[in-house]
């Protein structure tokens, strides 16, 4: 009996310690603050997709199926140019912290590929300081995550499509995280009706119930997944554990959330949009850039950090 008592006591204290670690934090880079605030998202179950009676839903949003996810942190804001320019310029790489055996990631930052300088100014005059970075490819967003991981020692990656929708819904089952009342959309999102044909600084609208800003609108956000119109069908009637449609080809892949260019229905929690070769239509380079989507001035990303650190081989797979 004493053994059982002490075992329960151990797990109780272990659980408390884990919960104390799973708190909001501001990820600084070489001691500098770039407002990279991370919000803890508890794991759990949710219903992914939209019901057949949801207005303007598309066929690839169903059937609704139950998904179970492990806990992770998600960035409070979309990745800004302030951060992305650090990755592009690489001027701070020489200050990479020394090896630390307690880090989740220990890789040489010199070995991380960097985005090439674009042939045009990629904010297209819409603003940089405090504004979301745009027009990068999914590969470029992944390499940013690898670079950030090397510079901080914490493992970062893009969210899966399921993780993104779970965080966006924030415990709701309505079309939007604030409900179904479209008259409220102006309070939460920049979209076609109110954006004045431009993205806006992150965090100006109201957050969702879990404290995440701009999950609806402003810019669409990369996920890790390949788009498959039949992907949800295989999970119908089952509990899907941490689902992820690993890409097998370059197009199409999934972006979420809708943007400053979209009508309201594209901003729904379940709405899925797909990448296309047309996003490079005006790129004059041959071969066309692997880093930039010149014609996707509406696409950016935000990052996550899983509570459970993946193995080294899994880390590399997420960044490729």
């Amino acid at each position: 009996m004493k053994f059982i008592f002490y075992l329960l006591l151990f797990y109780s204290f272990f659980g408390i310690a884990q919960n104390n670690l799973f708190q909001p934090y501001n990820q600084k880079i070489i001691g500098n603050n770039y407002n990279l605030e991370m919000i803890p998202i508890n794991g759990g179950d949710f219903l992914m997709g939209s019901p057949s009676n949801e207005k303007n839903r598309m066929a690839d949003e169903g059937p609704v199926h139950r998904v179970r996810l492990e806990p992770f942190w998600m960035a409070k804001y979309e990745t800004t140019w302030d951060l992305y320019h650090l990755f592009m310029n690489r001027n701070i790489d020489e200050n990479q912290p020394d090896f630390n055996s307690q880090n989740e990631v220990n890789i040489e930052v010199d070995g991380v590929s960097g985005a090439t300088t674009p042939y045009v100014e990629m904010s297209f005059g819409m603003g940089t300081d405090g504004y979301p970075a745009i027009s990068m490819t999914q590969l470029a967003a992944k390499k940013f995550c690898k670079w950030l991981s090397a510079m901080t020692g914490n493992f970062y990656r893009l969210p899966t499509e399921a993780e993104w929708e779970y965080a966006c819904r924030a415990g709701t089952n309505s079309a939007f995280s604030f409900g179904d009342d479209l008259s409220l959309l102006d309070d939460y999102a920049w979209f076609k009706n109110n954006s004045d044909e431009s993205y806006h600084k992150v965090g100006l609208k109201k957050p969702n119930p879990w404290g995440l800003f701009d999950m609806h609108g402003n810019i669409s956000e990369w996920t890790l997944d390949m788009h498959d119109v039949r992907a949800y069908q295989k999970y119908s009637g089952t509990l899907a554990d941490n689902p992820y449609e690993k890409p097998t080809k370059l197009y199409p892949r999934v972006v979420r959330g809708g943007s400053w260019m979209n009508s309201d229905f594209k901003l729904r929690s379940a709405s899925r949009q797909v990448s296309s070769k047309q996003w490079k239509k005006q790129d004059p380079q041959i071969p066309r850039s692997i880093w930039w989507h010149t014609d996707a001035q509406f696409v950016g990303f935000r990052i996550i950090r899983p509570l459970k650190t993946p193995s080294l081989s899994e880390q590399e797979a997420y960044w490729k």
Side-chain angles (χ1 to χ4, degrees):
M1 291 297 291
K2 283 186 178 180
F3 172 77
I4 295 174
F5 171 77
Y6 286 119
L7 189 64
L8 291 173
L9 193 63
F10 168 79
Y11 281 112
S12 175
F13 279 116
F14 179 77
I16 292 171
Q18 287 287 89
N19 288 334
N20 287 338
L21 291 173
F22 195 48
Q23 298 292 328
Y25 68 96
N26 187 337
Q27 178 64 75
K28 296 184 178 181
I29 305 174
I30 316 299
N32 294 316
N33 181 10
Y34 295 95
N35 294 318
L36 184 48
E37 298 182 50
M38 303 298 295
I39 303 296
I41 307 296
N42 289 314
D45 298 1
F46 83 111
L47 294 175
M48 185 173 181
S50 63
S52 57
N53 62 349
E54 185 167 299
K55 188 177 180 180
N56 293 312
R57 65 99 68 172
M58 302 295 287
D60 66 349
E61 297 170 23
V64 173
H65 55 289
R66 185 164 291 279
V67 168
R68 176 178 295 160
L69 295 171
E70 295 177 353
F72 56 93
W73 286 272
M74 177 174 264
K76 188 176 185 177
Y77 306 111
E78 294 159 334
T79 303
T80 62
W81 282 115
D82 311 71
L83 281 164
Y84 202 71
H85 282 152
L86 296 178
F87 166 64
M88 289 175 59
N89 299 333
R90 307 298 288 270
N91 294 330
I92 66 171
D93 284 13
E94 61 186 22
N95 298 318
Q96 180 184 16
D98 294 334
F99 175 88
N100 184 336
S101 61
Q102 300 303 308
N103 285 349
E104 297 172 0
V105 174
N106 279 296
I107 57 175
E108 290 292 335
V109 73
D110 290 346
V112 181
S113 301
T116 57
T117 302
Y119 72 94
V120 294
E121 197 278 303
M122 294 305 290
S123 77
F124 298 92
M126 293 188 288
T128 54
D129 293 349
Y131 290 86
I134 56 166
S135 294
M136 74 290 295
T137 62
Q138 188 203 53
L139 174 65
K142 288 180 177 181
K143 294 304 181 184
F144 170 89
C145 293
K146 184 175 184 180
W147 171 85
L148 181 65
S149 300
M151 293 299 292
T152 63
N154 291 327
F155 172 71
Y156 291 104
R157 63 170 170 83
L158 295 178
T160 64
E161 195 178 1
E163 289 167 336
W164 191 97
E165 185 172 326
Y166 178 64
C168 178
R169 288 188 175 280
T172 67
N173 289 317
S174 46
F176 301 89
S177 62
F178 54 81
D180 295 312
D181 186 355
L182 276 177
S183 69
L184 299 177
L185 189 57
D186 269 344
D187 295 334
Y188 291 87
W190 298 108
F191 65 114
K192 186 176 181 179
N193 290 13
N194 67 2
S195 67
D196 196 25
E197 299 184 345
S198 175
Y199 61 43
H200 291 260
K201 286 189 175 184
V202 301
L204 296 182
K205 295 292 187 176
K206 291 181 178 179
N208 77 359
W210 288 352
L212 302 168
F213 288 82
D214 300 307
M215 294 297 285
H216 305 294
N218 208 24
I219 57 168
S220 300
E221 301 175 12
W222 280 114
T223 69
L224 286 171
D225 295 62
M226 175 180 71
H227 179 262
D228 181 352
V229 295
R230 298 175 295 276
Y232 292 5
Q233 295 176 13
K234 63 186 176 185
Y235 299 121
S236 182
T238 68
L239 177 62
D241 276 311
N242 301 293
Y244 166 40
E245 296 297 316
K246 188 174 181 179
T248 57
K249 55 186 178 179
L250 187 56
Y251 300 103
R253 303 190 185 185
V254 182
V255 296
R256 287 298 205 110
S259 78
W260 58 274
M261 298 178 68
N262 291 130
S263 299
D264 52 28
F265 65 91
K266 290 290 188 181
L267 277 62
R268 293 173 300 109
S269 298
S271 180
R272 310 171 73 199
Q273 294 173 273
V274 299
S275 64
S276 163
K277 288 186 288 187
Q278 296 302 309
W279 291 6
K280 294 182 186 291
K281 187 176 181 180
Q282 298 181 66
D283 187 346
Q285 302 170 100
I286 299 176
R288 290 179 173 175
S289 173
I290 64 171
W291 301 109
W292 299 101
H293 282 309
T294 315
D295 297 85
Q297 299 165 19
F298 49 85
V299 172
F301 67 101
R302 79 176 71 212
I303 61 172
I304 76 159
R305 176 189 172 196
L307 180 61
K308 180 182 177 182
T309 305
S311 67
L312 296 180
S313 61
E314 289 171 330
Q315 290 178 16
E316 285 294 338
Y318 282 124
W319 294 326
K320 287 183 178 178

